[in-house]
Amino acid sequence: MDPFLTLLHSFSSSLSDSELSSLKFLCRGKIGKRKLESLQSGRELFVILQEQQLIASNNVSFLEALLKNIKREDLVSQLKQFVDEGEVNAPDDQPDVHEKRLQEAAIEVICENVGRDWKMLMRKLGISEVKMDRVVAANPFNLQEQLVQALREWQKWKGKDAKVTDLIKALRGCNMNLVADRVEQKLSQLNTEMGLNQYKNPSTSHRCE
């Protein structure tokens, strides 16, 4: 499927009924009243907006304005990622469950221990200045949230290639060795717990077919 259509389908799936109603209201000057009333999903709305050439993969300003109006900054962020990279990470482009759990634990430790130097860390991870500026603009007064969102951007950007070892390597590259040590300690503890849980719950271990 076309990456832009995949993105629109994802947006549609995440809209609540009230958000869809708000979008329809915002489009009342662009789409006839009768047609608007018949729409049952965001997907149907997006199809009409595409037909009227109000949104396209190379023209997302109207869509961005709609999403901002309904306060869906998370979707605005995904849209900007699409514009930057021309694609959206599909579900099968995500790390496996174990790796994702390790990353979440590492991110928690990093956010508790890295302060104003977070941009240095994100540069080491390859995040662009433009993306960091967007994160700061979205969370101007919350330093910890800036770091959280920047790390989420890194996860989205890297997809299944995101590795917790890259986080540790970047920390050490920034001479944040104490934080790196704490991350490794946390991961070791988590791996031990997960190993014990697997031992206690044989049903979670691999079965022979």
Side-chain angles (χ1 to χ4, degrees), residues 20-29 36:
L20 177 58
S21 296
S22 297
L23 288 177
K24 287 162 70 172
F25 180 77
L26 291 167
C27 292
R28 66 196 183 286
L36 273 176

Side-chain angles (χ1 to χ4, degrees), residues 5-59:
L5 294 180
T6 302
L7 181 68
L8 293 180
H9 182 72
S10 168
F11 286 178
S12 175
S13 301
S14 73
L15 293 173
S16 67
D17 290 342
S18 61
E19 287 169 339
L20 177 58
S21 296
S22 297
L23 288 177
K24 287 162 70 172
F25 180 77
L26 291 167
C27 292
R28 66 196 183 286
K30 309 286 186 183
I31 303 171
K33 184 179 177 183
R34 186 174 295 178
K35 189 174 277 189
L36 273 176
E37 288 175 350
S38 69
L39 297 178
Q40 300 295 317
S41 69
R43 186 178 58 80
E44 292 174 16
L45 176 63
F46 295 146
V47 166
I48 292 173
L49 292 175
Q50 281 183 290
E51 287 173 353
Q52 296 190 2
Q53 298 184 333
L54 289 166
I55 62 173
S57 58
N58 59 353
N59 178 22

